[in-house]
């Protein structure tokens, strides 16, 4: 008898039986069910099961919090239910039938942008660090001088040096960081179109090519429209 066999049988009954389960999988701490009818799940009864820490519904999945022992619980559950577990991706696909149109749109957008979030974060951190190097004035670095004269602002307050004003090393670092910081956001359309084609299951290289076309210098720059001669 498995460690959680009794609780697994109780959970199987409380979620509406085997017939009410479209798919089941688990993550780090939770059992994830895709049910035919969520209303058949007896939440209060489920939460009285000793090994259950709580329940909630998200993205079309009925989730039961088990804790760190969820892999053992999952094995016992699939054994007593006779249901073959599926991957997380398969469960997500099955759960879409339980989502309304708005939830499906939000899920699709989340799946498109999630892979490129790390790049956006890194780009933001780089640009933020550059702002500290070149945009923050520190009094302890002394007052700026221009043509041998101390610099004051319009209110006659002294203008203090920034880090790049006094350090050739950090000035070089600041100049170098402009390349990756600017490139991440300049070529963001490439990442987005790649992620869209990846999500849609189409040829990813075509998505990359489309993104490159969107940032190609051959396209008319919106800022240069005013200076473009009429045909």
């Amino acid at each position: 008898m498995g460690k959680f066999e009794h609780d697994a049988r109780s959970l199987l009954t409380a979620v509406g039986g085997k017939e009410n389960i479209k798919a089941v999988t688990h993550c780090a701490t939770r059992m994830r069910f895709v049910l035919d009818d969520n209303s058949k799940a007896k939440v209060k009864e489920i939460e009285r099961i000793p090994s259950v820490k709580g329940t909630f519904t998200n993205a079309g999945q009925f989730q039961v919090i088990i804790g760190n022992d969820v892999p053992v619980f999952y094995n016992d559950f699939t054994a007593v239910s006779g249901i073959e577990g599926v991957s997380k991706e398969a469960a997500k696909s099955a759960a879409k039938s339980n989502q309304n149109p708005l939830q499906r749109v939000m899920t699709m957008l989340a799946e498109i942008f999630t892979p490129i979030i790390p790049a956006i974060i890194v780009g933001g951190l780089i640009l933020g660090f550059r702002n500290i190097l070149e945009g923050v004035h520190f009094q302890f670095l002394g007052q700026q001088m221009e043509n041998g004269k101390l610099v004051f602002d319009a209110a006659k307050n002294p203008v203090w040096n920034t880090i790049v004003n006094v350090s050739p090393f950090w000035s070089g670092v600041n100049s170098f960081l402009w390349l990756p910081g600017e490139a991440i956001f300049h070529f963001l359309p490439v990442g987005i179109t790649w992620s869209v084609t990846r999500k849609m299951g189409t040829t990813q290289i075509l998505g990359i090519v489309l993104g490159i076309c969107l940032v190609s210098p051959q396209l008319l720059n919106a800022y240069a429209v005013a200076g473009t001669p009429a045909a």
Side-chain angles (χ1 to χ4, degrees), residues 33 35 38 41 43 55-64 98 103:
F33 295 92
L35 303 177
N38 284 340
V43 175
T55 65
F56 64 94
T57 301
N58 182 48
Q61 297 183 34
F62 181 75
Q63 303 193 25
V64 180
N98 292 340
Q103 288 175 323

Side-chain angles (χ1 to χ4, degrees), residues 107-118 120 187-211:
T107 298
M108 182 178 68
L109 290 176
E111 291 176 352
I112 288 173
F113 282 96
T114 296
I116 61 178
I117 286 176
I120 295 174
F187 292 100
L188 190 59
V190 179
I192 293 174
T193 52
W194 160 78
S195 189
V196 169
T197 54
R198 175 176 172 270
K199 165 63 181 171
M200 299 302 178
T202 58
T203 306
Q204 296 179 26
I205 187 61
L206 295 181
I208 294 173
V209 170
L210 174 60

Side-chain angles (χ1 to χ4, degrees), residues 12 29 83 92 108 111 113 122 128 147 149 154 186 189 193 196:
L12 177 62
T29 59
I83 299 174
K92 286 181 181 179
M108 182 178 68
E111 291 176 352
F113 282 96
V122 170
N147 298 324
K149 297 181 180 180
H186 181 76
T193 52
V196 169

Side-chain angles (χ1 to χ4, degrees), residues 4 6 17 31 44 52 60 67 70 93 100 110 179 184 206:
F4 296 107
H6 182 269
M31 292 284 291
K44 292 184 178 179
V52 173
V70 70
S93 297
N100 60 44
L179 173 61
I184 288 172
L206 295 181

Side-chain angles (χ1 to χ4, degrees), residues 11-95:
L11 179 60
L12 177 62
T13 302
V15 297
K18 180 178 179 179
E19 299 75 16
N20 194 39
I21 300 175
K22 287 183 181 178
V24 60
T25 186
H26 74 89
C27 59
T29 59
R30 304 184 300 275
M31 292 284 291
R32 297 187 174 196
F33 295 92
V34 180
L35 303 177
D36 279 319
D37 186 355
N38 284 340
S39 64
K40 291 183 179 180
K42 302 173 183 177
V43 175
K44 292 184 178 179
E45 185 176 324
I46 293 172
E47 292 180 346
R48 285 197 295 267
I49 298 173
S51 55
V52 173
K53 309 297 190 299
T55 65
F56 64 94
T57 301
N58 182 48
Q61 297 183 34
F62 181 75
Q63 303 193 25
V64 180
I65 304 170
I66 302 297
N68 294 331
D69 287 329
V70 70
V72 180
F73 189 100
Y74 174 78
N75 290 335
D76 287 346
F77 184 87
T78 54
V80 300
S81 66
I83 299 174
E84 185 176 350
V86 299
S87 67
K88 293 178 185 178
E89 293 303 319
K92 286 181 181 179
S93 297

Side-chain angles (χ1 to χ4, degrees), residues 160-180:
W160 308 111
N161 280 309
T162 63
I163 294 175
V164 298
N165 292 143
V166 299
S167 172
F169 171 77
W170 286 112
S171 178
V173 170
N174 182 63
S175 298
F176 169 76
L177 289 178
W178 174 241
L179 173 61

